[in-house]
Amino acid sequence: EPEGLLKAFQKRIDNEEKIEPRDWMPEAYRKTLIRQMSQHAHSEIVGQLPEGNWITRAPTLKRKMILLAKVQDEAGHGLYIYSATETLGITREEMTRQLLSGEAKYSSIFNYPTPSWADMGAIGWLVDGAAIMNQVPLCRASYGPYARSMIRICKEESFHQRQGYDIMTTLARGSNAQKKMAQDALNRFWWPALMMFGPSDKDSKHSVQSMQWKIKRFSNDDLRQKFVDVTVPQAEHLGLTIPDEDLKWNEERGHYDFGEIDWDEFINVIKGNGPCNKERLRARQKAHDEGEWVRKAAEVYQQNQRDAA
Ligand code: ACO
């Protein structure tokens, strides 16, 4: 790629100009965005599964309506981001193929099981909380369609986070058995939520370039630290204990110190060997197969419209 074009491109980024689909961009920039955005879209879609597990069993009608709406929001997020990714020249079909073949990643967090109702609280509070921490800066990503899709997504995520915290509050103020459920969900989701931010900065192979391109605005470790700092007081308010003996306020740094993440577990989950990876892909494959008639019908309809025109 010509040096002059690359320089002019970086200058636009440095000036905080948005890059739009028809603008010239380095192939590596396009590739990185397709990778990150498609992985993000897949995460939203697969992310429906752990919570979908509880729609028929939510404890009250109100909780059921809220959960149903939230899971539908996730589907919508997936669709906005798939559409935004298509502007980079990849088709939805190809992205779906990559997901179902296991070629494309999706967030590690969605490979953990949800055996208890309290997990709906922990997911909203911690998983959506972590998602917001990561996604608010993406509203300022240099690629216009990605940044714009994030604005609405973040608003909806913040509703999701609050509904999760509301479930946790109800349980934490409830009977001993309910408190125990809430604590157990926190114990299981805490470390996987910290893993959502990705490998530590020294092991993050894409961060330096993505930050130079202003796709990412903060490093994985910086966002993880921010998340810990805001979440610890929330756990205290609930009267729950974060399962980390090394967690301690560090006056000098002005941040919480926390224990080492089990990176072997993280690597194992992203390699496809987490507790639910196979089940998740099987569920997506089944949905894809069962949706074939819808895709066919849409194609025929489109053809008829074209013929009529
Ligand atoms: N789960 C699965 N894979 C991950 C995770 C994770 N939690 N974190 C990092 N990875 C993968 C990266 O995709 C990359 O793999 P690849 O090269 O095969 O694509 C590899 O691990 C190395 O990581 P990094 O170099 O740090 O990758 P990157 O710069 O893309 O940073 C991050 C990872 C922070 C997840 C980034 O891609 C991002 O911000 N994505 C958008 C947000 C998103 O996807 N959120 C989904 C969960 S939130 C939700 O859906 C509710």
Side-chain angles (χ1 to χ4, degrees), residues 32 35-37 39-45 47 70 74 77 81 103 105-111 127-128 130-132 134-135 138 146 150 157 160 192 194-200 203-208 210 215-216 218-220 223 266 269-270:
T32 283
R35 179 186 61 77
Q36 175 170 330
M37 290 169 68
Q39 166 181 301
H40 191 167
H42 298 326
S43 303
E44 302 282 358
I45 296 298
K70 174 187 193 284
E74 307 292 354
H77 298 175
I81 307 172
E103 241 169 84
K105 293 192 171 76
Y106 58 87
S107 183
S108 50
I109 191 73
F110 302 118
N111 294 304
V127 174
D128 294 304
I132 295 171
N134 163 274
Q135 288 172 15
L138 291 175
Y146 193 27
M150 278 301 129
E157 292 292 4
H160 298 169
L194 295 191
M195 293 176 197
M196 288 174 68
F197 295 95
S200 68
D203 295 321
S204 166
K205 56 181 185 240
H206 302 294
S207 280
V208 171
S210 290
I215 296 169
K216 286 168 99 163
F218 297 96
S219 76
N220 298 357
L223 289 174
F266 173 72
V269 173
I270 64 176

Short mmCIF file of all heavy atoms in Angstrom, two decimals, residues 32 35-37 39-45 47 70 74 77 81 103 105-111 127-128 130-132 134-135 138 146 150 157 160 192 194-200 203-208 210 215-216 218-220 223 266 269-270, ligand 1:
data_model
loop_
_atom_site.label_atom_id
_atom_site.label_comp_id
_atom_site.label_asym_id
_atom_site.label_seq_id
_atom_site.Cartn_x
_atom_site.Cartn_y
_atom_site.Cartn_z
N THR A 32 -8.87 -6.08 10.67
CA THR A 32 -9.00 -6.01 12.14
C THR A 32 -10.43 -5.70 12.53
O THR A 32 -10.98 -6.29 13.47
CB THR A 32 -8.05 -4.93 12.69
OG1 THR A 32 -6.75 -5.48 12.69
CG2 THR A 32 -8.40 -4.53 14.10
N ARG A 35 -12.65 -8.68 11.99
CA ARG A 35 -12.40 -9.66 13.06
C ARG A 35 -13.10 -9.23 14.35
O ARG A 35 -13.89 -9.97 14.93
CB ARG A 35 -10.89 -9.78 13.29
CG ARG A 35 -10.50 -10.75 14.38
CD ARG A 35 -8.99 -10.69 14.66
NE ARG A 35 -8.55 -9.38 15.10
CZ ARG A 35 -8.73 -8.90 16.35
NH1 ARG A 35 -9.33 -9.63 17.26
NH2 ARG A 35 -8.32 -7.70 16.66
N GLN A 36 -12.83 -8.03 14.80
CA GLN A 36 -13.39 -7.60 16.09
C GLN A 36 -14.91 -7.43 16.03
O GLN A 36 -15.62 -7.86 16.93
CB GLN A 36 -12.73 -6.29 16.55
CG GLN A 36 -13.38 -5.76 17.83
CD GLN A 36 -12.63 -4.61 18.48
OE1 GLN A 36 -11.41 -4.52 18.38
NE2 GLN A 36 -13.36 -3.74 19.16
N MET A 37 -15.40 -6.81 14.96
CA MET A 37 -16.84 -6.54 14.90
C MET A 37 -17.63 -7.83 14.71
O MET A 37 -18.69 -8.00 15.32
CB MET A 37 -17.15 -5.55 13.77
CG MET A 37 -16.65 -4.15 14.06
SD MET A 37 -16.71 -3.07 12.60
CE MET A 37 -18.48 -2.90 12.36
N GLN A 39 -16.73 -10.79 15.69
CA GLN A 39 -16.66 -11.50 16.97
C GLN A 39 -17.64 -10.86 17.97
O GLN A 39 -18.30 -11.56 18.74
CB GLN A 39 -15.23 -11.41 17.52
CG GLN A 39 -15.13 -11.82 18.98
CD GLN A 39 -13.70 -11.70 19.52
OE1 GLN A 39 -12.79 -12.33 19.00
NE2 GLN A 39 -13.51 -10.90 20.54
N HIS A 40 -17.74 -9.56 17.89
CA HIS A 40 -18.66 -8.85 18.78
C HIS A 40 -20.11 -9.23 18.46
O HIS A 40 -20.90 -9.55 19.35
CB HIS A 40 -18.40 -7.35 18.60
CG HIS A 40 -19.07 -6.49 19.62
ND1 HIS A 40 -18.76 -5.17 19.79
CD2 HIS A 40 -20.05 -6.75 20.51
CE1 HIS A 40 -19.51 -4.66 20.75
NE2 HIS A 40 -20.30 -5.60 21.20
N ALA A 41 -20.45 -9.23 17.16
CA ALA A 41 -21.81 -9.60 16.76
C ALA A 41 -22.13 -11.04 17.18
O ALA A 41 -23.19 -11.32 17.74
CB ALA A 41 -21.97 -9.45 15.24
N HIS A 42 -21.18 -11.94 16.95
CA HIS A 42 -21.41 -13.34 17.35
C HIS A 42 -21.65 -13.42 18.86
O HIS A 42 -22.47 -14.21 19.32
CB HIS A 42 -20.19 -14.21 17.02
CG HIS A 42 -19.86 -14.30 15.56
ND1 HIS A 42 -20.81 -14.30 14.57
CD2 HIS A 42 -18.66 -14.44 14.92
CE1 HIS A 42 -20.21 -14.40 13.38
NE2 HIS A 42 -18.91 -14.48 13.57
N SER A 43 -20.93 -12.60 19.62
CA SER A 43 -21.07 -12.64 21.09
C SER A 43 -22.49 -12.25 21.49
O SER A 43 -23.07 -12.83 22.40
CB SER A 43 -20.09 -11.69 21.76
OG SER A 43 -18.78 -11.99 21.39
N GLU A 44 -23.03 -11.25 20.81
CA GLU A 44 -24.39 -10.82 21.12
C GLU A 44 -25.38 -11.96 20.82
O GLU A 44 -26.31 -12.20 21.58
CB GLU A 44 -24.78 -9.58 20.31
CG GLU A 44 -23.87 -8.37 20.50
CD GLU A 44 -24.15 -7.60 21.80
OE1 GLU A 44 -25.07 -7.98 22.55
OE2 GLU A 44 -23.42 -6.62 22.07
N ILE A 45 -25.16 -12.62 19.70
CA ILE A 45 -26.08 -13.68 19.29
C ILE A 45 -25.96 -14.90 20.22
O ILE A 45 -26.96 -15.40 20.74
CB ILE A 45 -25.82 -14.07 17.80
CG1 ILE A 45 -26.14 -12.87 16.87
CG2 ILE A 45 -26.61 -15.31 17.40
CD1 ILE A 45 -27.57 -12.39 16.88
N GLY A 47 -24.76 -14.84 23.07
CA GLY A 47 -25.07 -14.35 24.42
C GLY A 47 -26.54 -14.47 24.79
O GLY A 47 -26.90 -14.35 25.96
N LYS A 70 -34.85 -8.25 27.29
CA LYS A 70 -33.40 -8.13 27.30
C LYS A 70 -32.77 -9.06 26.27
O LYS A 70 -31.88 -8.67 25.51
CB LYS A 70 -32.88 -8.45 28.70
CG LYS A 70 -31.39 -8.47 28.74
CD LYS A 70 -30.85 -8.96 30.07
CE LYS A 70 -29.38 -8.70 30.19
NZ LYS A 70 -28.53 -9.59 29.43
N GLU A 74 -30.47 -8.29 22.81
CA GLU A 74 -29.18 -8.88 22.42
C GLU A 74 -29.23 -9.29 20.95
O GLU A 74 -28.27 -9.10 20.20
CB GLU A 74 -28.80 -10.10 23.26
CG GLU A 74 -28.83 -9.94 24.78
CD GLU A 74 -27.77 -9.01 25.36
OE1 GLU A 74 -26.91 -8.54 24.60
OE2 GLU A 74 -27.83 -8.75 26.57
N HIS A 77 -28.83 -6.24 18.92
CA HIS A 77 -27.44 -5.77 18.90
C HIS A 77 -26.63 -6.57 17.89
O HIS A 77 -25.83 -6.01 17.14
CB HIS A 77 -26.78 -5.94 20.28
CG HIS A 77 -27.42 -5.14 21.37
ND1 HIS A 77 -27.05 -5.24 22.68
CD2 HIS A 77 -28.42 -4.22 21.33
CE1 HIS A 77 -27.79 -4.43 23.42
NE2 HIS A 77 -28.63 -3.80 22.62
N ILE A 81 -24.73 -4.96 14.55
CA ILE A 81 -23.28 -5.07 14.34
C ILE A 81 -22.97 -5.91 13.09
O ILE A 81 -22.03 -5.60 12.37
CB ILE A 81 -22.56 -5.62 15.60
CG1 ILE A 81 -22.93 -4.79 16.83
CG2 ILE A 81 -21.04 -5.56 15.42
CD1 ILE A 81 -22.43 -5.36 18.16
N GLU A 103 -14.39 -21.16 13.33
CA GLU A 103 -13.26 -20.33 12.89
C GLU A 103 -13.26 -18.98 13.60
O GLU A 103 -12.20 -18.46 13.93
CB GLU A 103 -13.48 -20.01 11.40
CG GLU A 103 -12.43 -20.50 10.46
CD GLU A 103 -12.97 -20.34 9.05
OE1 GLU A 103 -12.85 -19.24 8.49
OE2 GLU A 103 -13.56 -21.33 8.52
N LYS A 105 -14.18 -16.39 16.70
CA LYS A 105 -14.38 -16.45 18.15
C LYS A 105 -15.64 -15.69 18.53
O LYS A 105 -16.15 -14.87 17.77
CB LYS A 105 -13.19 -15.80 18.85
CG LYS A 105 -11.89 -16.56 18.68
CD LYS A 105 -10.85 -16.00 19.66
CE LYS A 105 -9.60 -16.83 19.73
NZ LYS A 105 -8.71 -16.64 18.58
N TYR A 106 -16.10 -15.93 19.72
CA TYR A 106 -17.10 -15.08 20.37
C TYR A 106 -16.70 -15.03 21.83
O TYR A 106 -15.85 -15.81 22.27
CB TYR A 106 -18.54 -15.62 20.17
CG TYR A 106 -18.73 -17.03 20.69
CD1 TYR A 106 -19.07 -17.26 22.02
CD2 TYR A 106 -18.55 -18.13 19.86
CE1 TYR A 106 -19.23 -18.54 22.50
CE2 TYR A 106 -18.70 -19.42 20.34
CZ TYR A 106 -19.05 -19.62 21.66
OH TYR A 106 -19.18 -20.90 22.14
N SER A 107 -17.30 -14.12 22.59
CA SER A 107 -16.79 -13.88 23.94
C SER A 107 -16.81 -15.14 24.80
O SER A 107 -17.82 -15.87 24.86
CB SER A 107 -17.60 -12.78 24.63
OG SER A 107 -17.03 -12.54 25.90
N SER A 108 -15.69 -15.35 25.48
CA SER A 108 -15.50 -16.50 26.36
C SER A 108 -16.62 -16.64 27.39
O SER A 108 -17.01 -17.74 27.76
CB SER A 108 -14.16 -16.33 27.10
OG SER A 108 -14.07 -15.03 27.68
N ILE A 109 -17.17 -15.52 27.82
CA ILE A 109 -18.11 -15.53 28.95
C ILE A 109 -19.34 -16.40 28.68
O ILE A 109 -19.93 -16.95 29.59
CB ILE A 109 -18.55 -14.08 29.31
CG1 ILE A 109 -19.32 -14.03 30.64
CG2 ILE A 109 -19.38 -13.44 28.22
CD1 ILE A 109 -18.50 -14.22 31.85
N PHE A 110 -19.73 -16.49 27.41
CA PHE A 110 -20.99 -17.16 27.10
C PHE A 110 -20.86 -18.68 27.06
O PHE A 110 -21.80 -19.39 26.73
CB PHE A 110 -21.63 -16.57 25.83
CG PHE A 110 -21.87 -15.09 25.99
CD1 PHE A 110 -21.24 -14.16 25.18
CD2 PHE A 110 -22.69 -14.63 27.01
CE1 PHE A 110 -21.43 -12.80 25.36
CE2 PHE A 110 -22.89 -13.26 27.21
CZ PHE A 110 -22.26 -12.35 26.38
N ASN A 111 -19.68 -19.16 27.42
CA ASN A 111 -19.46 -20.60 27.49
C ASN A 111 -19.59 -21.15 28.90
O ASN A 111 -19.18 -22.27 29.17
CB ASN A 111 -18.09 -20.95 26.92
CG ASN A 111 -18.05 -20.63 25.44
OD1 ASN A 111 -18.88 -21.14 24.68
ND2 ASN A 111 -17.14 -19.78 25.02
N VAL A 127 -21.69 -9.16 33.71
CA VAL A 127 -21.35 -9.36 32.30
C VAL A 127 -21.75 -8.13 31.48
O VAL A 127 -20.95 -7.61 30.70
CB VAL A 127 -22.01 -10.65 31.77
CG1 VAL A 127 -21.78 -10.81 30.27
CG2 VAL A 127 -21.49 -11.86 32.54
N ASP A 128 -22.96 -7.65 31.71
CA ASP A 128 -23.36 -6.43 30.99
C ASP A 128 -22.59 -5.23 31.51
O ASP A 128 -22.28 -4.31 30.76
CB ASP A 128 -24.87 -6.25 31.04
CG ASP A 128 -25.58 -7.36 30.29
OD1 ASP A 128 -25.29 -7.54 29.09
OD2 ASP A 128 -26.39 -8.08 30.89
N ALA A 130 -19.46 -5.30 32.50
CA ALA A 130 -18.16 -5.36 31.82
C ALA A 130 -18.31 -4.96 30.35
O ALA A 130 -17.47 -4.25 29.80
CB ALA A 130 -17.57 -6.78 31.93
N ALA A 131 -19.42 -5.40 29.75
CA ALA A 131 -19.65 -5.06 28.34
C ALA A 131 -19.73 -3.54 28.17
O ALA A 131 -19.14 -2.97 27.25
CB ALA A 131 -20.91 -5.74 27.82
N ILE A 132 -20.42 -2.86 29.08
CA ILE A 132 -20.55 -1.40 28.97
C ILE A 132 -19.18 -0.73 29.10
O ILE A 132 -18.85 0.19 28.35
CB ILE A 132 -21.48 -0.85 30.07
CG1 ILE A 132 -22.90 -1.37 29.89
CG2 ILE A 132 -21.49 0.68 30.06
CD1 ILE A 132 -23.80 -1.04 31.06
N ASN A 134 -16.38 -1.80 28.32
CA ASN A 134 -15.62 -2.00 27.09
C ASN A 134 -16.25 -1.24 25.90
O ASN A 134 -15.54 -0.78 25.00
CB ASN A 134 -15.58 -3.53 26.82
CG ASN A 134 -15.18 -3.89 25.41
OD1 ASN A 134 -16.04 -3.95 24.52
ND2 ASN A 134 -13.91 -4.12 25.21
N GLN A 135 -17.59 -1.09 25.93
CA GLN A 135 -18.26 -0.59 24.72
C GLN A 135 -18.47 0.92 24.70
O GLN A 135 -18.60 1.49 23.62
CB GLN A 135 -19.60 -1.32 24.53
CG GLN A 135 -19.35 -2.77 24.10
CD GLN A 135 -20.60 -3.62 24.08
OE1 GLN A 135 -21.71 -3.12 24.12
NE2 GLN A 135 -20.40 -4.91 23.99
N LEU A 138 -16.03 2.37 22.66
CA LEU A 138 -16.20 2.01 21.24
C LEU A 138 -17.17 2.95 20.52
O LEU A 138 -17.19 3.00 19.30
CB LEU A 138 -16.67 0.55 21.11
CG LEU A 138 -15.66 -0.53 21.50
CD1 LEU A 138 -16.32 -1.91 21.43
CD2 LEU A 138 -14.43 -0.50 20.60
N TYR A 146 -19.36 1.40 13.07
CA TYR A 146 -19.21 0.68 14.35
C TYR A 146 -19.53 1.62 15.51
O TYR A 146 -20.33 1.29 16.40
CB TYR A 146 -17.77 0.15 14.47
CG TYR A 146 -17.52 -0.88 15.57
CD1 TYR A 146 -18.52 -1.72 16.04
CD2 TYR A 146 -16.23 -1.04 16.09
CE1 TYR A 146 -18.26 -2.68 17.03
CE2 TYR A 146 -15.96 -2.00 17.07
CZ TYR A 146 -16.97 -2.82 17.54
OH TYR A 146 -16.70 -3.77 18.50
N MET A 150 -22.77 1.49 18.30
CA MET A 150 -22.51 1.31 19.73
C MET A 150 -23.32 2.24 20.61
O MET A 150 -23.55 1.96 21.78
CB MET A 150 -21.03 1.59 20.02
CG MET A 150 -20.13 0.44 19.74
SD MET A 150 -20.62 -0.97 20.73
CE MET A 150 -20.71 -2.15 19.44
N GLU A 157 -27.59 -1.60 26.96
CA GLU A 157 -26.77 -2.38 27.92
C GLU A 157 -26.89 -1.81 29.32
O GLU A 157 -26.81 -2.53 30.31
CB GLU A 157 -25.28 -2.39 27.53
CG GLU A 157 -24.92 -3.15 26.26
CD GLU A 157 -25.07 -4.65 26.34
OE1 GLU A 157 -25.55 -5.18 27.36
OE2 GLU A 157 -24.74 -5.32 25.34
N HIS A 160 -29.80 -3.17 30.85
CA HIS A 160 -29.55 -4.59 31.21
C HIS A 160 -28.77 -4.71 32.52
O HIS A 160 -29.04 -5.56 33.35
CB HIS A 160 -28.76 -5.29 30.11
CG HIS A 160 -29.47 -5.34 28.80
ND1 HIS A 160 -28.87 -5.73 27.62
CD2 HIS A 160 -30.76 -5.05 28.48
CE1 HIS A 160 -29.75 -5.66 26.64
NE2 HIS A 160 -30.89 -5.25 27.12
N PRO A 192 -14.74 -15.19 35.35
CA PRO A 192 -15.03 -15.14 33.91
C PRO A 192 -15.37 -13.72 33.42
O PRO A 192 -15.03 -13.36 32.29
CB PRO A 192 -16.23 -16.09 33.77
CG PRO A 192 -16.04 -17.08 34.89
CD PRO A 192 -15.49 -16.26 36.03
N LEU A 194 -14.05 -10.95 34.53
CA LEU A 194 -12.77 -10.24 34.36
C LEU A 194 -12.05 -10.68 33.08
O LEU A 194 -11.31 -9.91 32.46
CB LEU A 194 -11.85 -10.47 35.57
CG LEU A 194 -12.30 -9.90 36.91
CD1 LEU A 194 -11.16 -9.98 37.92
CD2 LEU A 194 -12.78 -8.45 36.79
N MET A 195 -12.27 -11.94 32.70
CA MET A 195 -11.63 -12.46 31.48
C MET A 195 -12.21 -11.86 30.21
O MET A 195 -11.59 -11.89 29.15
CB MET A 195 -11.77 -13.99 31.41
CG MET A 195 -10.99 -14.72 32.48
SD MET A 195 -11.33 -16.50 32.39
CE MET A 195 -10.76 -17.01 34.02
N MET A 196 -13.43 -11.31 30.30
CA MET A 196 -14.05 -10.72 29.11
C MET A 196 -13.18 -9.63 28.48
O MET A 196 -13.27 -9.37 27.29
CB MET A 196 -15.40 -10.09 29.47
CG MET A 196 -16.49 -11.08 29.78
SD MET A 196 -17.97 -10.22 30.35
CE MET A 196 -18.49 -9.35 28.87
N PHE A 197 -12.38 -8.94 29.31
CA PHE A 197 -11.57 -7.83 28.79
C PHE A 197 -10.40 -8.29 27.94
O PHE A 197 -9.68 -7.47 27.38
CB PHE A 197 -11.10 -6.94 29.95
CG PHE A 197 -12.24 -6.27 30.65
CD1 PHE A 197 -12.82 -6.81 31.78
CD2 PHE A 197 -12.78 -5.10 30.13
CE1 PHE A 197 -13.91 -6.20 32.40
CE2 PHE A 197 -13.87 -4.48 30.74
CZ PHE A 197 -14.43 -5.03 31.88
N GLY A 198 -10.19 -9.62 27.88
CA GLY A 198 -9.13 -10.14 27.02
C GLY A 198 -7.84 -10.34 27.77
O GLY A 198 -7.75 -10.06 28.97
N PRO A 199 -6.81 -10.83 27.07
CA PRO A 199 -5.52 -11.12 27.71
C PRO A 199 -4.91 -9.86 28.31
O PRO A 199 -5.29 -8.75 27.96
CB PRO A 199 -4.66 -11.66 26.56
CG PRO A 199 -5.34 -11.26 25.31
CD PRO A 199 -6.79 -11.08 25.62
N SER A 200 -3.94 -10.05 29.19
CA SER A 200 -3.27 -8.90 29.78
C SER A 200 -2.54 -8.14 28.66
O SER A 200 -2.25 -8.71 27.61
CB SER A 200 -2.28 -9.36 30.84
OG SER A 200 -1.24 -10.05 30.21
N ASP A 203 0.20 -9.64 26.66
CA ASP A 203 -0.12 -10.76 25.77
C ASP A 203 -1.15 -10.41 24.70
O ASP A 203 -1.54 -11.26 23.90
CB ASP A 203 -0.66 -11.94 26.59
CG ASP A 203 0.38 -12.50 27.54
OD1 ASP A 203 1.55 -12.57 27.11
OD2 ASP A 203 0.04 -12.83 28.69
N SER A 204 -1.61 -9.16 24.69
CA SER A 204 -2.65 -8.78 23.73
C SER A 204 -1.99 -8.43 22.41
O SER A 204 -1.35 -7.39 22.28
CB SER A 204 -3.43 -7.58 24.29
OG SER A 204 -4.20 -7.00 23.27
N LYS A 205 -2.17 -9.31 21.41
CA LYS A 205 -1.41 -9.10 20.18
C LYS A 205 -1.95 -7.96 19.33
O LYS A 205 -1.23 -7.39 18.52
CB LYS A 205 -1.31 -10.40 19.38
CG LYS A 205 -2.62 -11.06 19.05
CD LYS A 205 -2.38 -12.36 18.27
CE LYS A 205 -3.70 -12.95 17.81
NZ LYS A 205 -4.06 -14.24 18.26
N HIS A 206 -3.22 -7.60 19.49
CA HIS A 206 -3.79 -6.58 18.60
C HIS A 206 -3.84 -5.18 19.20
O HIS A 206 -4.08 -4.21 18.48
CB HIS A 206 -5.22 -6.96 18.21
CG HIS A 206 -5.33 -8.29 17.54
ND1 HIS A 206 -4.78 -8.54 16.31
CD2 HIS A 206 -5.92 -9.44 17.93
CE1 HIS A 206 -5.04 -9.79 15.96
NE2 HIS A 206 -5.72 -10.37 16.93
N SER A 207 -3.65 -5.08 20.53
CA SER A 207 -3.96 -3.80 21.20
C SER A 207 -3.18 -2.60 20.67
O SER A 207 -3.77 -1.54 20.43
CB SER A 207 -3.72 -3.91 22.71
OG SER A 207 -4.81 -4.54 23.29
N VAL A 208 -1.88 -2.76 20.49
CA VAL A 208 -1.06 -1.58 20.14
C VAL A 208 -1.55 -1.00 18.81
O VAL A 208 -1.84 0.20 18.71
CB VAL A 208 0.44 -1.95 20.09
CG1 VAL A 208 1.25 -0.80 19.52
CG2 VAL A 208 0.94 -2.31 21.49
N SER A 210 -4.46 -1.55 17.31
CA SER A 210 -5.87 -1.09 17.38
C SER A 210 -5.99 0.23 18.11
O SER A 210 -6.89 1.03 17.82
CB SER A 210 -6.75 -2.14 18.07
OG SER A 210 -6.89 -3.26 17.23
N ILE A 215 -9.38 2.29 17.19
CA ILE A 215 -10.52 1.37 17.29
C ILE A 215 -10.72 1.14 18.78
O ILE A 215 -11.81 1.30 19.32
CB ILE A 215 -10.23 0.04 16.55
CG1 ILE A 215 -10.05 0.29 15.05
CG2 ILE A 215 -11.36 -0.97 16.80
CD1 ILE A 215 -9.51 -0.90 14.28
N LYS A 216 -9.62 0.81 19.46
CA LYS A 216 -9.63 0.72 20.92
C LYS A 216 -9.09 2.04 21.48
O LYS A 216 -8.15 2.61 20.93
CB LYS A 216 -8.72 -0.43 21.38
CG LYS A 216 -9.33 -1.81 21.14
CD LYS A 216 -8.30 -2.91 21.34
CE LYS A 216 -8.39 -3.56 22.69
NZ LYS A 216 -7.67 -4.88 22.70
N PHE A 218 -8.75 2.28 25.08
CA PHE A 218 -8.10 1.90 26.34
C PHE A 218 -7.60 0.47 26.20
O PHE A 218 -8.19 -0.32 25.47
CB PHE A 218 -9.09 1.95 27.52
CG PHE A 218 -9.63 3.31 27.80
CD1 PHE A 218 -10.86 3.70 27.28
CD2 PHE A 218 -8.92 4.22 28.58
CE1 PHE A 218 -11.38 4.96 27.52
CE2 PHE A 218 -9.43 5.48 28.84
CZ PHE A 218 -10.66 5.86 28.31
N SER A 219 -6.57 0.15 26.95
CA SER A 219 -6.04 -1.20 26.86
C SER A 219 -6.93 -2.16 27.66
O SER A 219 -7.74 -1.74 28.49
CB SER A 219 -4.61 -1.24 27.41
OG SER A 219 -4.65 -1.19 28.82
N ASN A 220 -6.75 -3.46 27.42
CA ASN A 220 -7.53 -4.48 28.12
C ASN A 220 -7.37 -4.34 29.64
O ASN A 220 -8.35 -4.39 30.38
CB ASN A 220 -7.08 -5.89 27.71
CG ASN A 220 -7.29 -6.16 26.22
OD1 ASN A 220 -7.83 -5.33 25.48
ND2 ASN A 220 -6.86 -7.35 25.77
N LEU A 223 -9.18 -1.21 31.17
CA LEU A 223 -10.64 -1.36 31.28
C LEU A 223 -10.99 -2.33 32.40
O LEU A 223 -11.95 -2.13 33.15
CB LEU A 223 -11.23 -1.84 29.95
CG LEU A 223 -11.24 -0.79 28.84
CD1 LEU A 223 -11.70 -1.42 27.52
CD2 LEU A 223 -12.15 0.38 29.18
N PHE A 266 -8.81 -19.29 30.72
CA PHE A 266 -9.21 -18.38 29.63
C PHE A 266 -8.85 -18.98 28.26
O PHE A 266 -9.68 -19.07 27.35
CB PHE A 266 -8.53 -17.02 29.84
CG PHE A 266 -8.72 -16.05 28.70
CD1 PHE A 266 -9.94 -15.45 28.47
CD2 PHE A 266 -7.65 -15.74 27.86
CE1 PHE A 266 -10.11 -14.54 27.42
CE2 PHE A 266 -7.82 -14.83 26.81
CZ PHE A 266 -9.04 -14.24 26.59
N VAL A 269 -10.96 -21.94 27.34
CA VAL A 269 -12.32 -21.60 26.91
C VAL A 269 -12.32 -21.03 25.49
O VAL A 269 -13.14 -21.41 24.66
CB VAL A 269 -12.99 -20.60 27.91
CG1 VAL A 269 -14.33 -20.12 27.37
CG2 VAL A 269 -13.18 -21.26 29.27
N ILE A 270 -11.34 -20.15 25.18
CA ILE A 270 -11.39 -19.58 23.81
C ILE A 270 -10.94 -20.60 22.75
O ILE A 270 -11.25 -20.45 21.58
CB ILE A 270 -10.70 -18.20 23.65
CG1 ILE A 270 -9.23 -18.25 23.90
CG2 ILE A 270 -11.33 -17.15 24.49
CD1 ILE A 270 -8.56 -16.89 23.62
N1 ACO B 1 -13.33 -14.07 24.58
C1 ACO B 1 -12.96 -14.64 23.42
N2 ACO B 1 -11.86 -14.24 22.71
C2 ACO B 1 -11.16 -13.21 23.22
C3 ACO B 1 -11.50 -12.56 24.40
C4 ACO B 1 -12.64 -13.03 25.10
N3 ACO B 1 -13.04 -12.51 26.26
N4 ACO B 1 -10.61 -11.59 24.64
C5 ACO B 1 -9.72 -11.63 23.63
N5 ACO B 1 -10.04 -12.61 22.78
C6 ACO B 1 -9.29 -13.02 21.60
C7 ACO B 1 -9.19 -11.94 20.55
O1 ACO B 1 -10.31 -11.97 19.71
C8 ACO B 1 -7.92 -12.31 19.83
O2 ACO B 1 -8.15 -13.46 19.01
P1 ACO B 1 -7.98 -13.44 17.38
O3 ACO B 1 -6.67 -12.80 17.07
O4 ACO B 1 -8.08 -14.85 16.98
O5 ACO B 1 -9.13 -12.64 16.88
C9 ACO B 1 -7.06 -12.82 20.95
O6 ACO B 1 -7.95 -13.24 21.99
C10 ACO B 1 -6.06 -11.81 21.47
O7 ACO B 1 -6.68 -10.74 22.15
P2 ACO B 1 -6.39 -9.19 21.85
O8 ACO B 1 -5.15 -9.05 21.05
O9 ACO B 1 -6.45 -8.45 23.13
O10 ACO B 1 -7.66 -8.87 20.91
P3 ACO B 1 -8.48 -7.52 20.71
O11 ACO B 1 -7.58 -6.36 20.49
O12 ACO B 1 -9.50 -7.80 19.68
O13 ACO B 1 -9.21 -7.26 22.14
C11 ACO B 1 -11.48 -7.38 22.96
C12 ACO B 1 -10.20 -8.15 22.62
C13 ACO B 1 -11.20 -6.41 24.10
C14 ACO B 1 -12.57 -8.37 23.37
C15 ACO B 1 -11.91 -6.57 21.70
O14 ACO B 1 -12.01 -7.43 20.59
C16 ACO B 1 -13.21 -5.86 21.84
O15 ACO B 1 -13.28 -4.81 22.48
N6 ACO B 1 -14.30 -6.36 21.19
C17 ACO B 1 -15.58 -5.73 21.14
C18 ACO B 1 -16.42 -6.04 22.33
C19 ACO B 1 -16.94 -7.46 22.34
O16 ACO B 1 -16.68 -8.28 21.50
N7 ACO B 1 -17.74 -7.75 23.34
C20 ACO B 1 -18.38 -9.05 23.41
C21 ACO B 1 -18.80 -9.40 24.76
S1 ACO B 1 -19.92 -8.30 25.43
C22 ACO B 1 -21.48 -8.72 24.98
O17 ACO B 1 -21.68 -9.23 23.95
C23 ACO B 1 -22.62 -8.49 25.91
#
